[in-house]
Amino acid sequence: MNSLLKYLLILLGLISVIINIVLICLNSNRLPKCRPTSRPQESLLDKHSNKSLVFADLTAEEYKSVRDYMWGQKELKISRSFTAKPSENFLFLIDLSLPRKADVLRYLDANGQKPAREAIVVVFNGERGYLKEYVVGPLPGPLQHRDVTQKKYNTPTLPFTARTVTIGEYVELFKLFYQVFQKLEKPLRESFGYIPQKRELLPFEGMPRGIKSGDRKTWVSFFRDFNGMYVHPVGFEMLINHESSNTSQWTIDKLMYNGQYFENIDKFLVDYQAGSIKKIVNKNILNYASLKPREKPSGLGPQQYYLQGKRFSVQNNQVIYLDWSFAFGLSSLTGMRVFDIRFKGARIAYELSVQEAMSVYGSVTPGMMLTKFLDSSIGIGRFAHELVRGIDCPYAATYVDTYRYIDTNVTQRFRNSICVFEHDIGRPLRRHFSDFFHNGYGGMANSALVFRTITAIGNYDYIWDFIFYQSGSVEAKVHATGYISSSYKIDGSLKYGHQVAENVLGNIHTHFINFKVDLDILGVKNIFQTKDMIYKEVSLPWIPSEKAKIPQLVEQQIGTEKEAAMLHNAKTPRYLHIASNQTNRWGHQRSYRLQVVSFAGDHLPESESVEKSMSWARYKVAITKHKDEEQTSSSLFGQNYMWTPFVDFSKYIEDNEVIDNEDLVAWVTAGFLHIPHAEDIPNTVTVGNGGGVILRPHNYFDEDPSINSPDGVYFGQGLESDCEYNKMACLEKDQCSSTLEPFTYHGFEGVMKFE
């Protein structure tokens, strides 16, 4: 027994030694963890400034302060309910009121007085049947309010039917739906498998709500109760009249079932029971709209991390990245915006912002037939939910929370709803390999900073990017994904799209996106130039009898707003510039070029009664003289009052002001035509579905500024391993494994609830 015990102890000792040797070998090959160093801060050419806060969104405390102040105004009688009825007074929106540009520039550039911090407040007055807009400030207090409706919209009140449908109104609409469903339970069950409280029919509404100003008559289409309902239409639609603030007066004015129209519920029931209509027979189907992978995911794609720490910094509402700095915000209505964009300390643009996203649909069924969505009337920024690490943005990106107050009674926090990251585009910014004479290589990876948010507005998800390149260029672009809108396939449907599933039509539609680009090139006194080419026939100097057509530069300075309104259907010069009268070293006017990237469909004809509400989409680019009163190209009230809009962008151009040596604003429209196809099921992909504008320096510098980038690489023959100008040759010295934060997600905290 003693010998056995001795051998057993020796064996255990040998096993322990072997295990320790294995562990030592494994750990000796393990890379150290990447840790942030002081080097990123050293790479920043600017320092953070609290002056950026002049553009900052309201804080949670400021939203609460404004809300409590407005609630305290007894004469306004504002309901405190989250689901206030249309007949009650409701505080719909609180958002930042942007200060006047001249006041901000004095504060930023000349140490002037800080502009007052104020909030815009929109109140729906259901008791008296009108809408009002107020400015509340100064924050933090003592607070006062002033009515700005007359000043802003040239009318003392706005019509009540111009309001956005609130959650409180949806609650009342859903009650009406359920009353109808109770009456129609048998045909709905036989046709669509409807089972109360178990297998519902889900609504999707068309807009605008009628055919003339003052209407509030909405066609509502119904869909199967599936995740991804938007591509599961059932062929049943209702026209609801909800003009009155008294919900007891709401009516069902028409029904459509399988392409057949009925004047009322009773008429439909009689015809259905008599068998005199073409019935839809329910068929149980699988949910082809599900985004759950058809096969279990088996691995991870490439991940990005920072070998030497992040080369950008986010503090308050300011981002600094190498030569760049800018302030940022997220409007509940218009979405992402950045201000005071500077490169190497010089302001390039005062504002770059999303203004509007618009879609026009075609269909043979009423729910989609007249639909034209103006998303800022619903709220583009309103639907910026939490971004998913590693999918929506790189895992190691910096994430920023935002706060909003829209259609609610409490300030809402949306965690991680903006992300900022540096990203290798995967294609060199520039490079050259010298094969002749002087053999060598010079190049530079295209690392750029991306500022992103994603807004899920109903069926569509829009990915908004502002990208800052080391060459001094800025790109604003959008990509669309999410679900297509669809309708039930009936006779004549295929004129308006393609069939994408059984009895499902993907409806043809346009996407138009409007950006505001307030460039300030070496100050606010700028001009608008165009450049293009023509072929000019010239004699060859060495053979005068011979001629050749040679490309020649054509330059023009545009003098008025009407001349500078570049219609989508007209031929426009290829180079559009906002320029300074100052010149670079070579005698050329320093400028930035507007390069539009677009695959837009045709704009709605101007003869259409609702076109004025989206008149900005007439123009690929329009240049106007800056006015604080012309702050946006659309408005909160555009969707539901399209026939006589309170903001008609075309009027910004009608006065035809001189734009020579003035503070200029470019309004840029991009987009794409979407003809849905089978591959849009289950989801539309981002590839090819987008557009935007690139702001490119054009003779602004004396040479490409990226030649001074720390990312440049150069080596000659025989010096391939020299690290002095080629950090790639010594990459192994900087190798480490990434330190990643744990995966978390709180995005479902901010979803709409109708109860």
Side-chain angles (χ1 to χ4, degrees):
M1 287 296 294
N2 288 337
S3 296
L4 182 61
L5 181 62
K6 183 169 69 174
Y7 288 128
L8 183 61
L9 291 172
I10 291 171
L11 180 61
L12 289 173
L14 287 170
I15 292 172
S16 177
V17 169
I18 292 169
I19 290 173
N20 278 286
I21 291 172
V22 170
L23 290 173
I24 290 169
C25 291
L26 289 173
N27 285 318
S28 66
N29 292 325
R30 184 172 293 170
L31 293 172
K33 292 289 185 182
C34 295
R35 301 187 184 281
T37 68
S38 61
R39 293 181 66 178
Q41 298 301 322
E42 293 170 6
S43 70
L44 303 179
L45 299 186
D46 201 355
K47 294 183 179 179
H48 285 287
S49 168
N50 286 335
K51 286 190 173 184
S52 70
L53 293 171
V54 72
F55 302 110
D57 295 338
L58 299 179
T59 65
E61 294 75 18
E62 287 173 327
Y63 280 122
K64 183 179 184 300
S65 175
V66 172
R67 181 204 66 179
D68 291 348
Y69 170 82
M70 293 299 290
W71 277 359
Q73 305 310 301
K74 301 300 182 185
E75 74 280 7
L76 296 179
K77 301 179 182 179
I78 295 175
S79 169
R80 301 190 179 195
S81 172
F82 171 62
T83 57
K85 294 181 179 180
S87 58
E88 298 178 284
N89 299 345
F90 183 59
L91 198 169
F92 176 74
L93 172 73
I94 303 173
D95 210 346
L96 174 70
S97 176
L98 288 170
R100 295 175 63 84
K101 180 177 179 180
D103 296 340
V104 174
L105 292 181
R106 274 193 295 271
Y107 171 63
L108 294 178
D109 300 339
N111 292 318
Q113 183 178 358
K114 184 178 180 179
R117 189 158 169 81
E118 297 178 319
I120 282 285
V121 174
V122 176
V123 175
F124 296 171
N125 195 314
E127 282 191 5
R128 298 182 180 177
Y130 58 71
L131 315 177
K132 285 275 194 180
E133 194 163 309
Y134 303 90
V135 169
V136 177
L139 290 161
L143 298 181
Q144 296 179 318
H145 69 283
R146 62 184 186 275
D147 185 343
V148 296
T149 315
Q150 177 72 50
K151 180 180 179 182
K152 191 169 180 180
Y153 301 108
N154 199 32
T155 180
T157 62
L158 297 168
F160 196 54
T161 52
R163 73 192 186 281
T164 302
V165 174
T166 63
I167 290 176
E169 187 172 357
Y170 279 123
V171 169
E172 300 302 316
L173 285 169
F174 291 167
K175 290 178 183 177
L176 181 59
F177 297 159
Y178 297 144
Q179 292 171 15
V180 174
F181 291 171
Q182 284 179 331
K183 295 179 180 179
L184 300 179
E185 185 173 340
K186 182 176 184 291
L188 296 183
R189 183 180 67 253
E190 292 176 352
S191 300
F192 317 124
Y194 169 72
I195 303 174
Q197 309 301 320
K198 185 177 180 182
R199 191 184 297 158
E200 301 284 356
L201 293 176
L202 303 181
F204 186 73
E205 51 194 335
M207 303 178 202
R209 304 175 188 281
I211 57 173
K212 65 182 186 305
S213 296
D215 279 355
R216 201 170 182 83
K217 299 175 181 178
T218 304
W219 273 105
V220 178
S221 307
F222 290 92
F223 294 75
R224 291 183 184 273
D225 190 2
F226 279 142
N227 191 354
M229 55 166 267
Y230 306 102
V231 290
H232 283 288
V234 297
F236 178 62
E237 303 181 10
M238 294 192 301
L239 178 61
I240 299 176
N241 183 337
H242 52 124
E243 288 175 7
S244 175
S245 59
N246 182 349
T247 58
S248 66
Q249 297 178 7
W250 292 359
T251 57
I252 307 298
D253 286 2
K254 272 189 174 53
L255 283 81
M256 191 214 72
Y257 173 93
N258 200 16
Q260 303 153 93
Y261 289 84
F262 304 89
E263 291 300 317
N264 51 53
I265 295 172
D266 292 337
K267 175 63 174 168
F268 170 68
L269 277 173
V270 169
D271 289 356
Y272 185 89
Q273 291 166 359
S276 59
I277 64 176
K278 184 179 178 182
K279 294 183 179 180
I280 299 171
V281 179
N282 180 54
K283 178 181 178 182
N284 291 326
I285 60 171
L286 295 175
N287 184 13
Y288 47 79
S290 173
L291 297 183
K292 185 176 181 179
R294 304 291 191 258
E295 296 181 8
K296 189 175 181 180
S298 58
L300 287 173
Q303 299 294 309
Q304 172 183 307
Y305 58 95
Y306 303 92
L307 288 175
Q308 297 179 340
K310 295 176 180 178
R311 301 195 298 183
F312 63 90
S313 175
V314 182
Q315 184 175 302
N316 296 323
N317 70 317
Q318 187 181 43
V319 177
I320 298 177
Y321 164 64
L322 298 177
D323 293 310
W324 289 103
S325 69
F326 59 89
F328 65 85
L330 185 69
S331 164
S332 292
L333 298 184
T334 59
M336 201 161 75
R337 55 192 185 186
V338 292
F339 300 93
D340 195 24
I341 303 171
R342 300 181 187 228
F343 186 75
K344 294 185 179 293
R347 182 178 298 113
I348 302 297
Y350 179 78
E351 178 183 355
L352 173 60
S353 59
V354 180
Q355 290 292 299
E356 186 60 281
M358 178 265 286
S359 299
V360 175
Y361 280 82
S363 179
V364 71
T365 55
M368 286 271 104
M369 184 178 288
L370 296 179
T371 287
K372 297 158 187 72
F373 290 124
L374 292 174
D375 288 344
S376 76
S377 294
I378 308 166
I380 297 173
R382 171 185 182 176
F383 295 104
H385 292 277
E386 182 169 7
L387 300 164
V388 177
R389 286 182 182 272
I391 297 96
D392 294 335
C393 307
Y395 200 101
T398 294
Y399 293 84
V400 180
D401 296 350
T402 59
Y403 294 85
R404 265 160 262 157
Y405 191 105
I406 180 170
D407 199 5
T408 182
N409 62 353
V410 293
T411 303
Q412 293 178 294
R413 176 191 178 192
F414 292 83
R415 306 191 204 199
N416 304 330
S417 46
I418 292 173
C419 71
V420 187
F421 57 93
E422 187 178 5
H423 175 60
D424 185 343
I425 304 299
R427 178 183 62 252
L429 180 65
R430 52 175 175 78
R431 59 96 69 191
H432 179 65
F433 175 76
S434 296
D435 193 20
F436 303 117
F437 309 120
H438 301 282
N439 300 139
Y441 174 87
M444 178 178 159
N446 191 2
S447 289
L449 185 89
V450 180
F451 180 80
R452 172 179 293 170
T453 193
I454 301 178
T455 56
I457 309 168
N459 57 305
Y460 262 111
D461 297 50
Y462 289 107
I463 302 171
W464 307 96
D465 287 337
F466 293 159
I467 306 172
F468 298 83
Y469 297 94
Q470 293 187 56
S471 59
S473 295
V474 184
E475 184 174 9
K477 68 178 180 180
V478 61
H479 286 90
T481 177
Y483 290 100
I484 58 171
S485 286
S486 67
S487 57
Y488 192 77
K489 180 177 171 288
I490 60 175
D491 290 344
S493 287
L494 292 177
K495 294 178 182 178
Y496 302 97
H498 292 313
Q499 183 170 349
V500 294
E502 187 173 355
N503 294 321
V504 178
L505 183 84
N507 296 87
I508 187 172
H509 58 281
T510 64
H511 287 271
F512 284 89
I513 309 296
N514 190 238
F515 296 96
K516 181 180 181 182
V517 185
D518 184 355
L519 286 165
D520 286 349
I521 307 303
L522 303 173
V524 296
K525 299 298 184 183
N526 293 154
I527 60 174
F528 180 51
Q529 294 178 327
T530 67
K531 299 180 184 181
D532 213 320
M533 60 165 282
I534 59 169
Y535 279 99
K536 188 79 171 180
E537 188 175 84
V538 299
S539 297
L540 303 181
W542 64 96
I543 315 176
S545 59
E546 292 293 326
K547 295 181 179 180
K549 284 184 165 47
I550 309 296
Q552 188 176 97
L553 173 64
V554 177
E555 299 180 277
Q556 185 180 7
Q557 181 173 324
I558 307 298
T560 65
E561 289 178 329
K562 285 188 177 180
E563 290 179 285
M566 309 289 178
L567 291 167
H568 262 293
N569 58 359
K571 187 179 185 215
T572 59
R574 295 172 180 87
Y575 277 59
L576 309 173
H577 301 261
I578 303 294
S580 167
N581 283 315
Q582 297 184 42
T583 58
N584 70 357
R585 179 181 176 185
W586 316 114
H588 300 294
Q589 285 177 279
R590 299 174 66 180
S591 75
Y592 259 71
R593 176 189 171 196
L594 301 161
Q595 184 172 338
V596 182
V597 181
S598 183
F599 178 61
D602 292 340
H603 175 53
L604 190 69
E606 291 181 34
S607 58
E608 285 294 286
S609 59
V610 299
E611 190 276 339
K612 282 188 177 356
S613 65
M614 56 188 78
S615 58
W616 50 267
R618 298 175 191 173
Y619 312 101
K620 184 185 298 182
V621 174
I623 308 294
T624 63
K625 181 179 176 180
H626 176 274
K627 294 178 184 176
D628 289 295
E629 297 75 23
E630 296 177 353
Q631 188 171 303
T632 59
S633 61
S634 192
S635 89
L636 169 63
F637 312 107
Q639 179 73 79
N640 294 314
Y641 224 74
M642 299 183 86
W643 306 270
T644 48
F646 299 103
V647 173
D648 176 359
F649 177 79
S650 65
K651 294 188 181 301
Y652 294 3
I653 298 167
E654 276 184 8
D655 55 9
N656 200 27
E657 293 201 68
V658 172
I659 55 173
D660 181 15
N661 209 33
E662 295 287 354
D663 188 0
L664 304 183
V665 178
W667 308 84
V668 180
T669 300
F672 62 97
L673 171 65
H674 193 175
I675 302 175
H677 44 89
E679 292 80 7
D680 283 309
I681 301 295
N683 231 191
T684 293
V685 299
T686 56
V687 178
N689 291 324
V693 58
I694 307 172
L695 314 179
R696 299 178 58 186
H698 187 91
N699 289 323
Y700 184 87
F701 301 104
D702 295 332
E703 63 179 358
D704 172 19
S706 76
I707 197 66
N708 298 306
S709 168
D711 297 345
V713 166
Y714 178 81
F715 56 85
Q717 190 173 9
L719 298 173
E720 294 86 349
S721 301
D722 191 334
C723 300
E724 185 176 7
Y725 289 99
N726 181 15
K727 297 300 181 185
M728 295 294 107
C730 302
L731 196 60
E732 74 280 354
K733 295 180 181 178
D734 289 316
Q735 278 192 331
C736 55
S737 63
S738 59
T739 303
L740 299 176
E741 298 181 25
F743 182 88
T744 59
Y745 189 69
H746 314 87
F748 300 115
E749 293 175 354
V751 297
M752 297 177 72
K753 294 182 174 65
F754 302 101
E755 54 188 24

